[in-house]
RNA sequence: GCCGAGGUAGCUCAGUUGGUAGAGCACUUGACUGAAAAUCAAGGUGUCACCAGUUCGAUUCUGGUCCUCGGCA
């Protein structure tokens, strides 16, 4: 198979990506490759709005439930696994639908980011974290200026996490990180479908969805996670809502406050997500998710498929 | 009804010894190449309750009015 179609369904949390992509994947013999940094964790179902088991059965899904909440997960692992999933779908003659709300993951896959292999050194990283606390963030940034002025220019000194990552890359590879920001775009035929809704509608949907999650037993889910003794600071437990409900369960916050905080953080998240995919991006076909969108998108996909070069 | 406290940004409040005002949060925008639901940055906002007086000038001082919250009847 030499034509490699990939259909990306993008949009903020709560806009309705899951429902629509399920219908589309059904219709076009697709498989869903999740692009979501929280759906990878087993046992985090309700609060992540993970597709149900029935839904996962209806259409083949990838990159859901692939690690434990205590495990390490990152962009490099995602990119590798997504690459495999996409290739396998193609080999089966299926169209992979890249669906999710993690802009970094989607962009990395579609643009073919190639971060240096094996550039992680957790010990070095934590020693820098200690230094940042003891000597201040300016100190680390000054060091970055010396080894890589280009990165130092791009990264705000106060963004300690990123300054440290840049120093870490240099420490492991011996090269300035700015020279390692390479893209090698994959040879996919890409269609990007964007789903959107006006902010106020989106916010209202989110508020309602949080209520539904609570009724569905979100608290119990968080309680179970707490019983697993996940290490402090594990990315999984930094998920919106999970962190707040954990605080409530540990007696550090009122439930009302935890839920209000969750709504607030979700709204901020929606705005941050919007930075990855802009309404004026000519490579994205945007649709407002109201009555009849699915038909509109189907027409659009059908037309597009006809233009994809096929094997002779 | 009396006594006390107060009315300043969407919210919680600070402040101006008289020169028309500011923090946090909310909200909006942006960055992002191995934590990304993470991390970080930038930004606007006001009849300073109302009316009058003193003053070159009042949100600030004085008087009155209205409203809110306590306490007492």
């Amino acid at each position: 198979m030499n034509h490699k179609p990939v259909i990306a369904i993008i949009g903020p949390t709560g806009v309705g990506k899951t429902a629509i992509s399920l219908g589309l994947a059904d219709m076009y013999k697709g498989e869903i490759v999740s692009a979501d940094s929280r759906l990878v964790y087993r046992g985090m179902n309700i609060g992540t709005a993970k597709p149900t088991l029935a839904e996962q059965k209806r259409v083949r899904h990838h990159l859901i439930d692939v690690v434990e909440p205590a495990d390490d997960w990152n962009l490099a692992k995602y990119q590798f696994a997504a690459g495999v999933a996409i290739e396998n779908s193609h080999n089966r003659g299926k169209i992979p639908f890249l669906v999710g709300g993690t802009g970094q993951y989607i962009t990395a896959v579609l643009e073919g980011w190639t971060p240096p292999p094996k550039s992680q050194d957790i010990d070095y990283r934590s020693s820098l974290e200690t230094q940042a606390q003891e000597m201040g963030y300016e100190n680390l940034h000054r060091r970055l200026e010396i080894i890589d002025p280009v990165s130092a220019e791009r990264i705000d000194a106060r963004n300690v996490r990123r300054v440290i990552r840049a120093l870490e890359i240099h420490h492991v590879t011996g090269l300035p990180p700015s020279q390692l920001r390479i893209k090698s775009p994959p040879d996919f035929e890409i269609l990007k479908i964007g789903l959107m809704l006006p902010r106020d509608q989106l916010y209202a949907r989110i508020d309602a969805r949080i209520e539904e999650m609570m009724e569905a037993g979100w608290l119990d889910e968080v309680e179970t996670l707490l019983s697993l003794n996940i290490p402090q600071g594990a990315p999984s437990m930094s998920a919106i809502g999970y962190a707040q409900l954990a605080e409530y369960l540990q007696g550090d916050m009122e439930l009302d406050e935890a839920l209000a905080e969750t709504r607030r953080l979700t709204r901020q998240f929606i705005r941050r997500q919007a930075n990855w995919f802009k309404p004026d991006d000519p490579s994205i076909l945007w649709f407002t998710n109201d009555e009849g969108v699915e038909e509109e998108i189907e027409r659009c996909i059908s037309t597009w498929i006809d233009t994809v070069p096929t094997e002779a």
Side-chain angles (χ1 to χ4, degrees), chain A residues 6-10 96-100 106 110 190-194:
Chain A
V6 171
I7 298 177
I9 310 284
I10 60 197
F97 283 72
L98 194 58
V99 182
I106 293 175
L110 296 184
I190 298 166
L191 176 65
K192 286 189 247 180
I193 307 266

Side-chain angles (χ1 to χ4, degrees), chain A residues 54-67:
Chain A
E55 288 168 333
Q56 293 186 47
K57 213 166 173 184
R58 190 172 136 203
V59 173
R60 188 168 193 149
H61 280 67
H62 303 270
L63 286 156
I64 291 179
D65 290 341
V66 292
V67 289

Side-chain angles (χ1 to χ4, degrees), chain A residues 13-311:
Chain A
T13 188
V15 78
K17 294 185 296 295
T18 301
I20 287 175
S21 57
L22 230 40
L24 295 173
D26 243 353
M27 166 154 283
Y28 293 98
K29 301 212 179 340
E31 297 184 7
I32 289 178
V33 179
S34 165
D36 188 299
S37 66
R38 305 290 131 145
L39 294 190
V40 297
Y41 297 112
R42 292 184 203 109
M44 298 180 73
N45 305 327
I46 297 170
T48 58
K50 190 177 283 176
T52 62
L53 288 177
E55 288 168 333
Q56 293 186 47
K57 213 166 173 184
R58 190 172 136 203
V59 173
R60 188 168 193 149
H61 280 67
H62 303 270
L63 286 156
I64 291 179
D65 290 341
V66 292
V67 289
E68 295 300 325
D71 292 344
D72 196 40
W73 181 256
N74 56 42
L75 175 66
K77 290 182 184 179
Y78 175 78
Q79 258 193 277
F80 178 78
V84 171
I86 289 171
E87 196 184 338
N88 287 343
S89 304
H90 284 147
N91 290 341
R92 282 183 215 105
K94 300 289 181 70
I95 300 177
F97 283 72
L98 194 58
V99 182
T102 304
Q104 189 199 36
Y105 287 5
I106 293 175
T107 307
V109 168
L110 296 184
E111 293 186 350
W113 289 3
T114 50
K118 298 228 173 113
S119 65
Q120 210 172 24
D121 184 335
I122 302 289
D123 292 339
Y124 183 72
R125 191 187 289 185
S126 53
S127 85
L128 289 181
E129 278 164 9
T130 312
Q131 287 178 40
Q133 285 188 344
E134 286 168 359
M135 302 188 289
Y137 60 81
E138 302 91 343
N139 189 283
L140 290 185
H141 195 258
R142 249 173 267 128
R143 223 181 300 172
L144 182 60
E145 252 162 35
I146 293 163
I147 61 134
D148 185 4
V150 179
S151 290
E153 176 69 26
R154 289 186 50 253
I155 303 173
D156 192 290
R158 289 163 290 192
N159 200 341
V160 177
R161 185 175 286 189
R162 279 244 255 296
V163 173
I164 289 179
R165 165 96 268 252
L167 290 169
E168 179 188 4
I169 290 173
H170 177 260
H171 176 77
V172 178
T173 65
L175 294 167
S178 60
Q179 283 181 22
L180 298 169
R181 304 179 103 233
I182 302 158
K183 285 179 196 176
S184 50
D187 59 343
F188 301 147
E189 301 291 333
I190 298 166
L191 176 65
K192 286 189 247 180
I193 307 266
L195 284 172
M196 62 175 172
L197 276 174
R199 281 282 159 84
D200 52 351
Q201 271 185 54
L202 209 46
Y203 292 173
R205 280 171 70 119
I206 282 300
D207 290 353
R209 190 167 78 165
I210 289 170
E211 290 300 313
E212 288 161 22
M213 287 171 172
M214 289 303 285
E215 279 160 32
W218 193 5
L219 260 184
D220 295 337
E221 189 174 282
V222 177
E223 192 141 37
T224 304
L225 288 167
L226 283 176
S227 72
L228 297 175
N229 291 317
I230 296 163
Q232 277 261 321
S236 59
M237 288 307 282
S238 72
I240 292 172
Y242 286 88
Q244 288 67 40
L245 291 177
E247 279 198 69
Y248 160 67
L249 288 170
Q250 287 161 341
D252 299 329
M253 206 189 258
E254 295 295 321
L255 182 57
D256 282 353
E257 198 189 337
L259 291 173
E261 196 69 355
T262 300
R263 289 191 289 270
R264 202 191 108 233
L265 290 168
T266 307
R267 286 194 281 270
Q268 294 182 339
F269 174 48
I270 285 171
R271 275 179 255 134
R272 260 180 291 129
Q273 281 181 304
N275 282 325
W276 287 96
F277 305 106
K278 302 290 171 65
D280 59 357
D281 181 339
S283 74
I284 301 172
L285 294 166
W286 286 101
F287 295 87
T288 300
N289 186 9
D290 47 25
E291 215 53 37
V293 247
E294 292 188 45
E295 290 72 27
E296 270 183 74
I297 296 175
E298 280 166 22
R299 272 199 297 278
C300 168
I301 292 181
S302 294
T303 310
W304 176 76
I305 283 179
D306 291 340
T307 72
V308 174
T310 51
E311 301 163 275

